[in-house]
Amino acid sequence: MDEQKIDPKIYALYDEYCHSAMERREFLRRAAAMAVVGGSGLAMAQALLPKYAAAQTISFTDPRIKATYELYDSPGGNGGEMRGYLVQPAGSGPFPAVLVIHENRGLNPYIEDVARRAAVAGFLAFAPDGLWPLGGYPGNDDDGKAMQASLDRDKLMVDLLNGAKFLKGHELSNGKLGATGFCFGGGVTNWLAVEMGADLAAGVPFYGRAPEDAGVANIKAAMMIQYAEDDPRVNAGKDGYEAALKAHGVDYEMHVYPGTKHGFHNNSTPRYDEAAAKLAWERTTAFFQKHLAG
């Protein structure tokens, strides 16, 4: 279903479904009961559910990359040992390194594809699976969302921080680390910038929660902050974040993509905006190339 044909009320309900404990059955039931313009609320809701197979852009067998799953130690986390998806470009390295952080449902196929895109662009990419202590991403986002919500959040953050450290110190890394992430992962990117200080060279959060103002003084990374225009929940923190970045002299740029909704980079649902996603990714890779060069 084309994005323009989906009623804004269904988009709002989908955002609530994605960011709450609402189950898929309840999401579809409520959508079916809505009076909408242009068709069936149920059909619109079903169209918004991700279609990962159709959204793959880089095959895991692409000759330009080598992809493996790697374990890393995570003291203080939810399980003590974690797993992530490591994708290296062709060649012997070392490579600039980019951590790719998932949304609030674990390491799903979209995030793995983003890691492969980063590797094709010349970066050693690593995407940790925050759900590994529970067995890893379960193969569907509904169970993944519930699993992630059940984890100790502070320990989950430690697990992702340890993933960043693992990547920065990897034998194929040039020692310069960038991080990007989407929604929850965007918020984690901002948090890592605060937490890691000078150990993070560059951060590109996509529509992620802003860090606390007091922590912004710790940011030493160059930051490129990506927002959707129509995303009131996340954008409520935008102005305060920008003021704090300016006040503390952080090297940053901020982009708002007109006409886009939360999740516009994710090409598995109609929220995807092809032109905005392409521009945002081109900006992201150029930014990392600038700040992570050896």
Side-chain angles (χ1 to χ4, degrees):
M1 180 174 292
D2 188 85
E3 184 255 346
Q4 283 79 17
K5 295 181 180 178
I6 297 177
D7 191 286
K9 294 193 294 294
I10 301 297
Y11 274 117
L13 182 63
Y14 182 72
D15 189 68
E16 181 184 354
Y17 160 65
C18 286
H19 300 102
S20 72
M22 186 189 302
E23 295 183 353
R24 178 180 296 205
R25 181 182 301 176
E26 176 66 7
F27 165 59
L28 296 176
R29 184 194 68 77
R30 288 174 60 179
M34 282 185 170
V36 297
V37 175
S40 157
L42 177 59
M44 292 177 184
Q46 289 171 328
L48 282 170
L49 297 173
K51 298 172 179 62
Y52 289 128
Q56 179 178 272
T57 65
I58 308 292
S59 169
F60 64 90
T61 60
D62 191 296
R64 295 171 293 178
I65 60 171
K66 178 183 177 182
T68 57
Y69 292 96
E70 301 288 338
L71 297 173
Y72 65 92
D73 292 333
S74 186
N78 277 303
E81 184 177 68
M82 293 293 290
R83 191 177 83 155
Y85 188 59
L86 183 73
V87 194
Q88 68 183 76
S92 57
F95 307 102
V98 172
L99 191 76
V100 180
I101 309 162
H102 59 67
E103 304 148 308
N104 67 338
R105 60 210 65 187
L107 181 58
N108 63 28
Y110 158 63
I111 297 299
E112 291 191 344
D113 196 66
V114 172
R116 293 193 293 268
R117 296 175 209 177
V120 166
F123 304 102
L124 178 67
F126 187 61
D129 186 355
L131 303 187
W132 185 244
L134 300 177
Y137 176 70
N140 70 86
D141 282 9
D142 292 282
D143 290 339
K145 181 177 68 169
M147 289 167 66
Q148 188 159 321
S150 75
L151 288 168
D152 183 301
R153 186 182 179 93
D154 291 339
K155 291 182 178 180
L156 172 59
M157 301 298 270
V158 170
D159 285 329
L160 298 171
L161 173 61
N162 286 331
K165 293 176 179 178
F166 166 80
L167 177 59
K168 183 177 175 66
H170 196 279
E171 63 182 5
L172 292 174
S173 167
N174 71 355
K176 292 192 175 180
L177 178 66
T180 189
F182 305 85
C183 189
F184 166 78
V188 174
T189 301
N190 285 321
W191 177 82
L192 286 174
V194 172
E195 190 72 17
M196 298 187 74
D199 285 337
L200 186 72
V204 184
F206 279 74
Y207 29 83
R209 180 180 176 182
E212 297 294 330
D213 288 352
V216 175
N218 296 332
I219 296 178
K220 306 303 178 190
M223 300 295 292
M224 175 184 281
I225 301 142
Q226 315 268 35
Y227 286 105
E229 182 180 47
D230 182 9
D231 192 3
R233 180 181 53 84
V234 171
N235 291 358
K238 172 181 171 294
D239 291 345
Y241 189 16
E242 184 164 27
L245 291 165
K246 289 179 178 177
H248 294 292
V250 177
D251 178 5
Y252 84 97
E253 54 188 270
M254 188 174 282
H255 301 285
V256 179
Y257 294 85
T260 59
K261 293 178 172 62
H262 184 92
F264 72 83
H265 184 267
N266 187 335
N267 60 322
S268 70
T269 86
R271 295 184 301 170
Y272 174 61
D273 185 301
E274 183 177 6
K278 181 180 178 182
L279 176 58
W281 188 245
E282 288 174 349
R283 285 172 168 167
T284 297
T285 55
F287 190 75
F288 283 145
Q289 286 161 358
K290 175 182 177 180
H291 293 284
L292 303 180

